[in-house]
Amino acid sequence: MPQDQQRVAIVTGAARGIGAATASRLAEDGMAVAVLDLDEANCAGTVESITKAGGRALAIGADVSQADQVQAAVGKVAADLGPPAVLVNNAGVLRDNLLFKMTEDDWDTVLGVHLRGAFLMSRAAQKHMVDQRYGRIINLSSSSALGNRGQVNYSAAKAGMQGFTKTLAIELGQFGVTANAIAPGFIATDMTAATAARVGMDFEEFQKAAATQIPVRRVGHPDDVAHAISFLASEGAGFVSGQVIYVAGGPLC
Ligand code: NAP
């Protein structure tokens, strides 16, 4: 595809896990992909796998919770790859604790990366989407939005992502921009491995225990989420907006 016709996507938190799988999938779908994470050097693996497969990718280092870094990052993507048409707000952190032990820093960090990060990235990217009269914003929520012990900060952020998404859909629809949220259940990544370590369980045993509670009797993998994101990021999904899709191996609502 000629470069001037190729859609440009930004995936945050794309050095590993769901973000890395999504960046690779969007590249396979024909997009040029900005692989954004806290440390630019950590993006090298994702960028290399995309370019080895014949795709175009750019590593970008930025903290999504910092407005100046976000502005600079989106500007660099527009200058080096082209104006972004797809944004996947995927960067995330956990700071789990029961409410009575949760610090203000645990609260602020989680709300800062997930919610403020999605706000800053979307605000910076929407200008390019509105100019193109085309855009796809996909926000990572979670089954924890429905409530989860030890995650008062994370569940608040992930429920907030759903309201944020619906409002983006209402405000930006007239410009050809859709906004949707994906709410994964248990996905095997470094994030869930860290949770297993925190509760003192072997990760394999943790996954086996989780699978017994999931209707399809397995845990999810990053490609399961990337597949759903690929659909929402596609040209043909232009009439799907303001939705929350649970990718959890069974029904949640
Ligand atoms: P992960 O493996 O921990 O990867 C998260 C990535 O985000 C890391 O590369 C991390 O960089 C990056 N990141 C953290 N803070 C950042 C910041 N301020 N700016 C830019 N990048 C930042 O997580 P994952 O499991 O793939 O999860 C991806 C998304 O899905 C998250 O939003 C998560 O909440 C959501 N989710 C995951 C699950 C699951 O079961 N795994 C379920 C539901 C929802 P560093 O390595 O430098 O920290």
Side-chain angles (χ1 to χ4, degrees):
M1 184 186 295
Q3 282 191 10
D4 61 352
Q5 289 169 24
Q6 192 178 30
R7 298 277 190 211
V8 173
I10 302 175
V11 183
T12 71
R16 56 189 165 92
I18 293 167
T22 300
S24 292
R25 176 59 190 262
L26 296 183
E28 278 169 34
D29 291 346
M31 297 175 207
V33 184
V35 176
L36 186 152
D37 212 290
L38 267 179
D39 184 348
E40 185 179 322
N42 291 344
C43 300
T46 310
V47 167
E48 196 184 313
S49 73
I50 291 172
T51 49
K52 266 191 180 159
R56 271 173 85 212
L58 174 71
I60 302 265
D63 179 342
V64 296
S65 67
Q66 300 300 320
D68 51 346
Q69 294 185 35
V70 165
Q71 206 56 42
V74 173
K76 186 168 166 53
V77 173
D80 292 5
L81 282 182
V86 173
L87 170 65
V88 183
N89 284 309
N90 167 83
V93 287
L94 292 181
R95 294 287 185 276
D96 293 355
N97 229 328
L98 293 173
L99 175 63
F100 77 102
K101 287 195 273 189
M102 186 162 289
T103 66
E104 286 148 305
D105 190 52
D106 292 336
W107 177 269
D108 290 343
T109 298
V110 168
L111 273 285
V113 175
H114 295 270
L115 261 187
R116 183 178 155 86
F119 153 62
L120 292 173
M121 287 297 305
S122 302
R123 189 180 64 178
Q126 60 78 32
K127 183 192 175 305
H128 298 285
M129 297 179 185
V130 169
D131 286 351
Q132 294 171 79
R133 291 290 188 276
Y134 180 90
R136 302 276 183 265
I137 298 174
I138 297 113
N139 297 316
L140 268 290
S141 178
S142 166
S143 55
S144 294
L146 303 168
N148 199 23
R149 184 180 158 82
Q151 292 196 318
V152 72
N153 50 0
Y154 184 77
S155 60
K158 291 309 200 184
M161 289 293 256
Q162 298 190 9
F164 174 70
T165 300
K166 288 167 199 262
T167 302
L168 289 186
I170 291 166
E171 290 189 12
L172 298 176
Q174 64 187 305
F175 304 109
V177 179
T178 65
N180 291 284
I182 295 282
F186 188 118
I187 309 298
T189 66
D190 291 347
M191 186 176 270
T192 35
T195 303
R198 187 176 58 80
V199 299
M201 273 181 84
D202 170 72
F203 190 37
E204 286 301 317
E205 292 306 315
F206 192 59
Q207 290 181 67
K208 274 189 198 152
T212 64
Q213 305 301 314
I214 299 171
V216 301
R217 293 291 185 271
R218 69 169 177 88
V219 300
H221 297 284
D223 284 345
D224 292 313
V225 181
H227 192 72
I229 293 173
S230 166
F231 162 68
L232 292 173
S234 67
E235 305 260 349
F239 205 56
V240 181
S241 198
Q243 301 305 303
V244 179
I245 300 181
Y246 283 87
V247 178
L252 294 170
C253 59

